[in-house]
């Protein structure tokens, strides 16, 4: 009741004033602020703000502190209400920031920081608060001067929180802020924790406002040297102990100076951009000088720097790749083992971040160097890391590059596997697996030598110390099985799977790594064996579904809550809920197991299809809700990838008589209801792309059984409309950002990456639109008029890629509707004609492809516009640069459109047909658009199979032309097997039916190499 609420409010305010125990009083103040925030979301508490102002002026320090604690809790819900009171609130916080008591000043600093963050969306109002920065900084400097580092760290954390939400708040005071942070970092008398927080402040500003920080000279001059100086603080360790430790077994969880420096460089390269950071890092006095420094720690720091910035500086490093690879490889021979390790680590990182360019250009330098350093038996950790670098190399390598090195490389890896210490064996066996995965069938030659060793390891590696090695052995065996294929692997498969089954039946400890490896190994064996694996499903599926069913071990708190001590197995994510943003702590190992299990289900259903029928229903019920699993995007991505495979398996089961259409329809309904919803609600664009891909593939796999009603088709169109609307909003936001005073070249590059991702989303919207049109023609014919303007909005974009996607959507709908699309011809055919003259070749290509679709399905309306269409096609084919690289695809599609006009609009062409056929033959063959080439050359075959009169009435004139076209296209990617066989039949028929002199003269008119190709085809 209102009376009770009033009494509670009054009691809280009295408790704040009267509580004497500091910790309790702060809790009461926080609670009062939280309750006030809840009340003020929908209502009001008129007494609260006067209380805060009165308490802030109290002679009692504890009450002044409480006023700030309450206010800080109110800021985020009352931000709009605060706008009109900013001058008053600013004065209030400004006065309390100068309070003589430390705890009061810190509370005021927190309240000020919260106010700035709460107002961050009101940029003009935040700007009025910037003159408070000196007072805020004064709180920090006073704490440092008093040698109160705990208070100083609290203050720095407040600055970091503001930098995360409102970095441009600091713009007018950026130089002194930067100088202060640098002074703290370089003050060796301060505790590491304090110095590291100052680094975090600088890096956060770079991440949140990169363009602003790229203009900050003091920051640019000092940040990379600072990071490198931090990385020189490397603990001297006993080398025997160092060599006995695997790279991922370092149990020291305390953040080191080296860790902070490396993290700083990594984040700077990704935020500031490669152009800026590469220039800073490779200054003559930094990385180049460090690489040749007599102190090994400098060389170690330089190589670590290269590793850390490689991803963000990939473009710039590729421009200097030879020099960088040479410098790193030279350090493989360094006198200090830890420098050799760092060099190998750098090379491995570059193989990942700069592949496949590095592999393609420098395999002859890198692979022999890695093989050579594997001989460093005195330093097992170096040997181990060299094997790990081979893994990196293979992941971005074409098999043809690796094959010449197999004899030496595999011999060395097997030597390490058999004779090395455990940490070497663990990397060597993974390297062998990666090599097999890369070279595929080429591994067959080594199978008989290596597989017996692996089987023996499965039998013998049973101790607790060897659990990881045995898990990696499972991984290696299963990857080799896929590489060599069923026929080679089948002889060992039963023995291997018996070992897997025995492992699964054993009571494994919760932390036993074999469980995770086994989960994935079963899936790979299924891929290697195909249908032969089905008998093992009863063994594999129950524990797999148990892993899929793992519940998220979560702890939910408010986003503003303090971070507790970090656990390496705990990840923190921010989740949007009905109650606002919440910080969720998650046990990552459990989520990784869940994601892996979901991915394995994709593998099983993809490979075994109807063989998975007994599990379809239970897996569908388990996996469909995971499309909305908010805690882990890898789970959502795997769930999305599984949906089309579930539908494909159900349809295959239907065809095998294992179920009826009602079963498939019911399962599809469950999937599409959630998939459509998830495609709209997904917050991460990359995962949203996976959802749209799943929608497209599921529609394709399920066909007309997918969407049970017109309403479901409408739901799908509404989802695509929403996604496109989100893209349009991001386009608008990027355009507004370009007006910002800090917008620069690197910001433009970042925007370009975001724009390309959005183009991928729009392309997938187009693919989904095409799939729903092809599978649900009648519903789409009924509904599309309502959405014509929505999808058509793209064609009016100033961005060529958006116009291309919009035109492609028109094409897809008309092609999918077939004859039902004639109702849309009066609206779409004139638009396609208009865009066939667009300045952008990619738009012209899409538009003229659409003209071909209209020729096929447009009927009488197309015939009425034939003259305009033919004129446009002739203009495109007749332009002087028609086959130039930048326009050849649009020209090829014009030729394809002409072929469809000849085939489907013969009556409308009338006397123009002979000239149209002549123009068609004169242009062939298609050389640019290979996919369209297959179709066009197939249409040429169709003309000849139909006995096209224009050609067959004058064989002496046209058969040499046809023969010349066939001679050019046979054996190229512009014909597939089907078209090649049709050409073979046509050539045989020509030999049998044409006058001998015509046939012989036609054959003799083409070059000898092409004659030989056609002869070989006829004899095949």
């Amino acid at each position: 009741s209102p009376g009770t609420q009033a009494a509670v409010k009054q009691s809280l305010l009295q408790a704040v004033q009267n509580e004497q125990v500091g910790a309790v009083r702060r809790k009461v103040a926080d609670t009062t602020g939280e309750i006030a925030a809840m009340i003020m979301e929908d209502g009001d508490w008129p007494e609260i703000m006067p209380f805060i102002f009165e308490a802030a002026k109290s002679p009692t320090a504890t009450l002044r502190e409480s006023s700030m604690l309450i206010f800080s809790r109110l800021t985020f819900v009352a931000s709009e209400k605060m706008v009109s009171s900013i001058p008053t609130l600013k004065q209030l916080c400004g006065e309390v920031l100068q309070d003589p008591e430390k705890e009061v000043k810190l509370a005021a600093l927190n309240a000020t920081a919260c106010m700035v963050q709460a107002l961050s969306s009101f940029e003009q109002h935040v700007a009025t608060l910037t003159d408070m920065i000196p007072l805020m900084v004064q709180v920090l400097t006073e704490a440092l001067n008093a040698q109160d580092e705990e208070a100083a760290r609290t203050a720095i954390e407040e600055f970091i929180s503001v930098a995360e939400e409102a970095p441009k708040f600091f713009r007018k005071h950026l130089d002194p802020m930067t100088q202060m942070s640098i002074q703290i970092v370089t003050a060796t008398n301060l505790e590491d924790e304090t110095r590291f927080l100052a680094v975090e402040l600088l890096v956060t500003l770079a991440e949140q406002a990169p363009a602003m920080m790229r203009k900050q000279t003091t920051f640019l001059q000092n940040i990379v040297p600072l990071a490198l100086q931090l990385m020189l603080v490397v603990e001297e360790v006993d080398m025997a102990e160092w060599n006995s430790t695997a790279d991922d077994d370092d149990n020291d969880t305390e953040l080191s100076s080296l860790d902070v420096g490396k993290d700083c460089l990594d984040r700077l390269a990704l935020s500031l951009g490669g152009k800026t950071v590469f220039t800073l890092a490779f200054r003559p006095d930094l990385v180049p000088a460090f690489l040749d420094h007599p102190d090994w720690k400098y060389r170690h720091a330089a190589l670590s720097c290269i590793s850390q910035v490689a991803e963000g500086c990939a473009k710039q490093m590729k421009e200097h790749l030879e020099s960088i690879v040479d410098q790193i490889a030279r350090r493989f021979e360094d006198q200090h083992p830890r420098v050799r390790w760092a060099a190998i680590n750098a090379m491995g990182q570059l193989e990942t971040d700069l592949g496949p360019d590095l592999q393609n250009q420098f395999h002859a330098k890198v692979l022999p160097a890695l093989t050579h350093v594997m001989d460093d038996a005195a330093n097992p950790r170096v040997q181990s890391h060299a094997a790990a670098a081979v893994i990196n190399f293979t992941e971005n390598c074409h098999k043809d590059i690796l094959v010449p090195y197999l004899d030496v490389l595999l011999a060395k890896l097997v030597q390490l596997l058999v004779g090395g210490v455990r940490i070497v064996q663990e990397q060597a066996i993974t390297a062998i697996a990666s090599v097999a995965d890369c070279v595929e069938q080429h591994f067959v030659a080594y199978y008989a030598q290596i597989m017996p060793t692996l089987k023996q390891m499965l039998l013998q590696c049973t101790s607790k110390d060897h659990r990881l090695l045995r898990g990696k052995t499972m991984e290696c065996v299963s990857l080799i099985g896929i590489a060599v294929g069923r026929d080679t692997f089948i002889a060992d498969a039963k023995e291997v799977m018996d070992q897997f089954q025995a492992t699964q039946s054993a009571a494994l400890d919760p932390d036993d790594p074999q469980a995770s490896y086994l989960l994935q190994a079963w899936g790979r064996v299924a891929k290697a064996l195909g249908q032969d694996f089905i008998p093992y499903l009863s063994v594999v599926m129950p524990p797999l579904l148990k892993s899929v069913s793992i519940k998220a071990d979560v702890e939910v708190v408010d986003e503003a809550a303090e971070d507790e001590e970090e656990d390496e197995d705990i990840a923190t994510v921010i989740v949007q809920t009905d109650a606002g943003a919440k910080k969720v702590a998650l046990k990552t190992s459990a989520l990784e197991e869940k994601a892996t299990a979901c991915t394995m289900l994709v593998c099983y259903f993809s490979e075994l299809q109807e063989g998975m029928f007994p599990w379809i229903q239970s897996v569908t019920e388990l996996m469909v809700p995971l499309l909305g699993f908010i805690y882990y995007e890898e789970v959502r991505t795997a769930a999305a990838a599984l949906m089309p495979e579930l539908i494909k398996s159900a349809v295959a089961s239907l065809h095998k008589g294992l179920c009826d259409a009602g079963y498939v329809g019911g399962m599809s309904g469950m999937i599409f209801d959630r998939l459509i919803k998830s495609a709209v609600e997904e917050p991460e664009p990359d995962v949203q792309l996976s959802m749209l891909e799943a929608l497209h593939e599921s529609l394709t796999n399920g066909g007309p059984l997918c969407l049970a009603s017109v309403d479901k088709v409408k739901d799908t169109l509404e989802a695509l409309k929403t996604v496109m609307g989100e893209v349009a909003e991001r386009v608008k936001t990027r355009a507004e950002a370009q007006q910002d005073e800090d917008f620069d070249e690197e910001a433009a590059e970042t925007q370009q990456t975001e724009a390309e991702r959005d183009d991928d989303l729009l392309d997938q919207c187009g693919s989904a639109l095409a799939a729903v049109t092809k599978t649900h023609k009648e519903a789409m014919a009924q509904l599309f008029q309502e959405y014509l303007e929505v999808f058509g909005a793209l064609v009016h974009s100033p961005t060529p890629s958006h116009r291309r996607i919009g035109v492609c959507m028109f094409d897809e709908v008309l092609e999918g509707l077939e004859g039902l699309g004639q109702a849309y011809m009066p609206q779409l055919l004139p638009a396609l004609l208009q865009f066939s003259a667009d300045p952008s070749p990619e738009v012209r290509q899409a538009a003229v492809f659409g003209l071909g679709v209209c020729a096929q399905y447009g009927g009488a309306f197309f015939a009425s516009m034939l003259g305009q269409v033919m004129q446009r096609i002739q203009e495109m084919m007749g332009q002087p640069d028609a086959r130039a690289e930048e326009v050849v695809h649009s020209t090829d599609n014009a030729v394809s459109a002409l072929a469809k006009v000849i085939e489907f609009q013969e009556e409308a062409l009338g006397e123009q047909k002979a000239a149209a056929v002549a123009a068609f033959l004169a242009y062939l063959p298609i050389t640019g658009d290979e996919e369209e080439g297959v179709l066009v050359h197939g249409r040429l075959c169709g003309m000849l199979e139909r006995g096209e009169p224009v050609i067959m009435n004058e064989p002496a004139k046209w058969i040499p032309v046809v023969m010349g076209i066939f001679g050019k296209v046979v054996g190229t990617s512009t014909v597939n097997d089907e078209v090649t066989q049709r050409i073979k039949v046509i050539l045989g028929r020509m030999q049998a039916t044409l006058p001998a002199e015509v046939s012989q003269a036609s054959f003799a008119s083409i070059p000898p190499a092409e004659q030989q190709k056609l002869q070989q085809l006829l004899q095949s």
Side-chain angles (χ1 to χ4, degrees):
S1 69
T4 303
Q5 290 179 9
V8 169
K9 293 176 185 177
Q10 185 63 33
S11 297
L12 286 169
L13 296 182
Q14 286 175 351
V16 170
Q17 295 174 76
N18 298 331
E19 178 57 53
Q20 298 301 309
V21 179
V24 177
R25 178 181 45 74
R26 293 186 187 97
K27 285 288 184 185
V28 172
D30 285 340
T31 302
T32 303
E34 293 284 358
I35 292 173
M38 287 188 286
I39 292 172
M40 294 179 72
E41 275 192 272
D42 301 311
D44 197 10
W45 185 348
E47 301 86 0
I48 194 68
M49 289 308 295
F51 176 82
I52 289 172
F53 276 91
E54 185 178 340
K57 299 180 186 300
S58 168
T60 306
T62 55
L63 198 52
R64 299 197 299 274
E65 180 190 6
S66 296
S67 73
M68 292 294 98
L69 293 174
I70 296 171
F71 179 56
S72 66
R73 291 290 186 270
L74 278 177
T75 52
F76 291 97
V77 297
S79 56
E80 292 187 15
K81 297 176 182 177
M82 285 195 302
V83 168
S84 60
S85 305
I86 284 178
T88 309
L89 295 171
K90 176 181 171 182
Q91 182 180 354
L92 169 72
C93 290
E95 289 173 357
V96 187
L97 279 169
Q98 300 173 73
D99 197 279
E101 297 294 329
K102 177 190 72 174
E103 296 297 340
V104 179
K105 283 187 287 195
L106 288 174
L109 182 60
N110 172 251
T112 306
C114 288
M115 180 168 63
V116 173
Q117 293 171 74
L119 293 170
S120 59
S121 57
F122 304 94
E123 202 166 310
Q124 71 277 22
H125 296 301
V126 171
T128 66
L129 300 174
T130 57
D131 54 1
M132 296 183 72
I133 292 175
L135 294 175
M136 297 169 71
V137 170
Q138 187 177 321
V139 176
L140 171 57
T141 54
E142 287 176 359
L144 289 170
N145 291 337
Q147 299 182 355
D148 186 347
E149 292 197 44
E150 185 177 347
R153 287 193 289 270
T154 300
I156 298 171
E157 285 169 347
E158 297 297 349
F159 286 122
I160 291 170
S161 67
V162 174
E164 287 172 340
E165 295 297 326
K168 294 182 181 179
F169 170 70
F170 295 114
R171 186 199 301 276
K172 291 182 180 178
H173 298 267
L174 199 53
D175 198 58
M177 283 285 298
T178 303
Q179 291 179 13
M180 177 190 68
S181 300
I182 292 169
Q183 288 170 3
I184 294 172
V185 178
T186 54
T188 54
N189 60 308
L190 294 177
E191 296 172 14
D192 282 350
E193 190 178 351
T194 307
R195 296 168 60 229
F196 295 168
L197 276 174
V199 176
E200 180 63 28
L201 174 57
L202 291 171
V203 175
T204 301
L205 284 167
E207 288 178 323
Q208 301 304 319
M212 180 177 78
M213 297 306 287
R214 280 193 291 267
K215 294 180 178 179
Q216 222 296 313
T217 306
T218 303
F219 170 78
L220 293 179
Q221 288 174 343
N222 288 278
I223 189 62
V224 172
L226 274 180
L228 286 169
Q229 286 298 319
L230 288 168
M231 291 160 65
L232 292 176
V233 184
V234 184
E235 184 183 357
E236 295 278 5
V237 296
D238 177 74
M239 290 309 297
E241 181 183 343
W242 182 80
N243 269 308
S244 65
T245 307
D247 294 332
D248 53 2
D249 281 351
D250 190 351
N251 293 320
D252 186 4
T253 57
E254 187 174 329
L255 202 61
S256 72
S257 183
L258 176 63
D259 295 331
V260 173
K262 288 167 66 175
D263 179 66
C264 171
L265 289 170
D266 179 34
R267 292 163 64 188
L268 287 174
L270 292 171
S271 56
L272 295 178
K275 184 176 180 181
T276 298
V277 173
F278 184 84
T279 304
L280 296 175
F282 282 83
R283 239 169 52 185
D285 61 317
L286 295 180
V287 167
F290 277 39
L291 280 170
D292 290 322
H293 199 282
D295 186 339
W296 74 269
K297 293 180 180 180
Y298 282 78
R299 304 194 298 277
H300 183 276
L303 291 163
S304 298
C305 175
I306 293 172
S307 301
Q308 295 306 113
V309 305
E311 182 182 0
C313 298
K315 180 179 177 182
Q316 290 70 30
M317 283 199 170
K318 286 178 181 179
E319 295 170 0
H320 300 84
L321 193 51
E322 182 172 10
S323 170
I324 293 171
V325 168
D326 283 344
Q327 291 179 70
I328 295 172
R330 187 161 52 91
R331 288 297 158 199
F332 281 16
E333 305 292 333
D334 195 277
Q335 61 185 5
H336 201 290
R338 294 181 71 175
V339 177
R340 297 200 292 276
W341 183 95
I344 295 166
N345 188 66
M347 191 68 81
Q349 193 63 52
L350 263 61
E351 289 163 359
T352 297
D353 294 329
L354 308 186
D357 299 66
L358 185 146
Q359 285 85 337
N360 293 341
Q361 296 174 41
F362 301 107
H363 54 88
K365 186 170 292 182
V366 174
L367 284 173
L370 287 173
T371 306
H372 176 68
V373 82
M374 289 180 199
D375 289 331
D376 189 0
N379 293 285
R381 194 161 174 180
V382 173
Q383 289 180 299
S384 171
H385 216 49
V390 170
I391 300 167
N392 296 114
F393 190 95
T394 61
E395 288 171 351
N396 262 322
C397 180
H398 190 277
K399 59 186 174 184
D400 292 345
I401 287 175
L402 200 57
V403 166
Y405 300 94
L406 286 180
D407 287 352
V408 174
L409 180 59
L410 285 173
K412 186 68 67 176
L413 290 170
V414 169
Q415 179 185 333
L416 295 182
L417 179 62
V418 174
V421 299
R422 180 169 52 84
I423 65 169
V424 176
Q425 289 178 304
E426 288 169 357
Q427 291 297 352
I429 198 164
T430 304
I432 291 170
S434 297
V435 169
D437 190 38
C438 176
V439 300
E440 298 173 335
Q441 279 292 321
H442 293 283
F443 199 85
V444 171
Y446 307 91
Y447 181 85
Q449 172 196 353
I450 292 174
M451 185 55 74
T453 302
L454 299 178
K455 291 194 298 183
Q456 196 66 25
M457 291 178 68
L458 285 175
L459 286 168
Q460 294 179 350
C461 295
T462 55
S463 71
K464 188 169 184 177
D465 287 345
H466 287 90
R467 294 184 308 182
L468 179 59
L469 179 59
R470 193 168 188 273
K472 286 174 175 278
T473 305
M474 296 178 198
E475 175 185 58
C476 187
V477 167
S478 59
L479 281 168
I480 289 174
I482 294 175
V484 301
R486 176 194 174 280
D487 293 345
T488 301
F489 183 55
I490 192 70
D492 297 296
K494 185 179 186 306
E495 188 178 350
V496 166
M497 289 193 289
D498 286 347
Q499 284 293 315
F500 287 5
Q501 191 170 347
T503 305
Q504 186 163 288
S505 301
L508 299 179
D509 293 337
D511 64 344
D512 193 329
Q514 291 182 93
S516 174
Y517 282 101
L518 184 59
L519 204 65
Q520 298 175 68
W522 278 124
R524 295 192 199 97
V525 172
K527 187 173 183 178
L529 298 182
Q531 298 297 309
D532 291 331
F533 186 81
I534 289 175
Y536 288 89
L537 284 173
S538 60
V539 175
V540 171
M541 288 299 289
L544 181 66
L545 295 182
K546 184 179 178 182
S547 293
V548 171
S549 302
I550 290 172
K551 301 294 183 185
D553 186 2
V554 303
E555 179 186 351
V556 182
V557 296
D558 287 333
E559 184 182 2
E562 293 286 327
D563 286 329
E564 295 189 9
E565 201 68 35
E566 287 189 10
D567 183 328
E568 62 180 14
D569 192 34
I570 300 295
T572 303
V573 296
I574 304 300
V575 175
Q576 295 299 326
T577 69
D578 293 338
K582 298 292 181 182
K583 187 184 294 181
V584 180
L586 303 162
K587 189 173 183 181
T588 54
S589 59
L591 294 181
E592 286 166 2
E593 180 182 342
K594 185 182 185 79
T596 298
C598 293
T599 302
M600 288 302 101
L601 283 176
V602 179
C603 176
Y604 288 130
F605 277 89
S606 173
E607 294 299 325
L608 304 179
Q609 294 193 25
E610 71 274 9
M612 295 298 296
F613 176 72
W615 308 95
I616 290 178
Q617 188 68 34
S618 59
V619 169
T620 301
E621 291 171 358
L622 189 59
M623 289 297 294
V624 165
L626 296 184
L627 289 166
F629 188 76
I630 59 176
Y631 304 114
Y632 208 54
E633 64 183 56
E634 283 83 355
V635 171
R636 302 198 300 278
T637 301
L642 181 61
M643 296 303 115
E645 300 303 335
L646 284 170
I647 290 176
K648 185 189 284 187
S649 295
V651 171
S653 300
L654 172 65
H655 293 157
K656 293 287 185 179
L658 300 174
C659 62
D660 58 19
Y663 175 89
V664 179
M667 194 198 78
S668 297
M670 187 191 311
I671 288 173
F672 278 97
D673 284 351
R674 182 67 224 203
L675 186 55
I676 292 167
K677 185 170 183 280
S678 295
V680 172
E681 294 178 348
E682 175 55 51
E684 296 294 331
D686 289 337
V687 183
Q688 190 174 49
L689 183 64
S690 299
M691 299 284 181
L692 291 172
E693 289 172 354
L695 182 60
H696 160 223
E697 292 170 9
S698 297
L699 286 162
T700 301
N701 292 345
L705 295 171
C706 291
L707 305 175
S709 65
V710 173
D711 286 343
K712 292 298 179 189
V713 175
K714 186 176 176 66
D715 289 344
T716 305
L717 294 177
E718 283 292 326
L720 299 180
K721 174 183 174 181
T722 300
V723 174
M724 291 170 62
E726 291 170 354
V727 171
E729 281 300 313
R730 288 196 290 270
V731 170
K732 182 180 176 183
T733 300
R734 286 195 291 270
E736 290 170 353
Q738 290 169 15
Q739 308 308 311
D740 190 282
E741 62 182 285
D742 291 323
F743 190 78
D744 59 10
E745 184 181 341
E746 299 240 12
E749 286 186 10
T750 301
Q751 281 202 358
Q752 180 61 31
T753 301
E754 294 169 356
E756 289 169 1
R757 180 201 62 199
D758 280 343
D759 282 359
D760 290 339
L761 278 171
L762 292 175
D763 273 322
Q764 275 302 324
C765 285
S767 297
L769 182 65
V772 75
T773 304
K774 288 173 184 173
T775 54
H776 299 78
K777 291 180 173 58
E778 290 78 9
M780 277 296 295
Q782 175 184 334
L783 291 170
F784 190 64
Q785 183 65 51
E786 184 180 340
Y787 293 90
L788 190 57
E789 187 175 336
V790 172
F791 293 104
L794 285 173
V795 301
H796 300 298
S797 168
T799 305
S801 61
H802 289 184
R803 297 200 300 278
R804 186 261 305 165
I805 293 167
V807 171
C808 284
M809 287 179 172
F810 289 164
D811 297 347
E812 298 284 14
V813 170
L814 290 174
E815 190 171 35
L817 288 177
E818 299 179 339
L820 295 175
Q822 289 192 15
Y824 294 102
M825 287 293 162
Q827 293 164 282
L828 297 186
L829 179 52
L832 292 172
L833 259 177
Q834 173 190 339
F835 287 104
S836 67
D838 192 272
S840 168
E842 64 176 319
V843 178
R844 295 200 299 274
Q845 177 186 346
V848 77
F849 175 87
L851 293 180
V853 173
C854 292
Q856 185 170 356
Y857 300 115
F861 185 80
F862 182 89
S864 71
M865 295 190 68
L866 178 64
Q868 295 176 60
V869 173
M870 288 298 290
Q871 180 182 349
R872 185 72 201 112
I873 289 173
Q874 289 162 7
E875 287 171 357
M876 293 179 72
M877 291 174 59
Q879 57 190 332
D881 61 345
R883 289 187 185 270
E885 183 178 355
E886 61 273 14
V887 299
V888 66
H889 282 67
S890 60
T891 312
D892 288 351
N893 277 263
V895 176
S896 179
L898 178 59
K900 291 181 180 178
V901 171
I902 293 169
E903 182 173 349
F904 298 106
Q905 296 289 336
E906 183 176 15
E907 183 178 341
L909 273 175
E911 295 180 357
Q912 297 179 62
K913 183 182 177 185
V917 172
F920 176 69
L921 293 173
Y923 183 86
L924 297 184
I926 297 290
T927 57
D929 190 335
E930 295 177 353
E931 184 179 345
E932 203 62 31
V934 173
L935 300 174
V936 171
H937 298 141
R939 293 199 181 280
L940 172 61
C941 291
M943 287 184 185
L944 295 163
E945 289 160 352
R946 294 191 302 271
E948 171 55 55
V950 173
I951 298 173
M952 301 316 294
N953 289 348
E954 295 185 84
K957 177 179 179 181
W958 293 116
I959 296 305
V961 176
V962 169
M963 201 76 74
I965 296 167
F966 284 167
K968 288 183 175 67
V969 302
V970 167
T972 73
S973 52
T974 61
V975 290
N976 57 17
D977 291 343
E978 180 199 348
V979 173
T980 300
Q981 285 305 307
R982 291 170 72 186
I983 291 173
K984 178 181 176 180
V985 171
I986 290 166
L987 289 172
R989 188 182 303 148
M990 285 180 179
Q991 283 185 332
T993 59
L994 288 174
E997 63 274 13
V998 172
S999 180
Q1000 291 168 5
S1002 299
F1003 193 74
S1005 68
I1006 65 175
E1010 293 172 9
Q1011 291 179 24
Q1012 185 178 0
K1013 278 202 298 183
L1014 296 185
Q1015 284 176 335
Q1016 289 173 344
L1017 175 62
L1018 286 167
Q1019 293 165 6
S1020 63

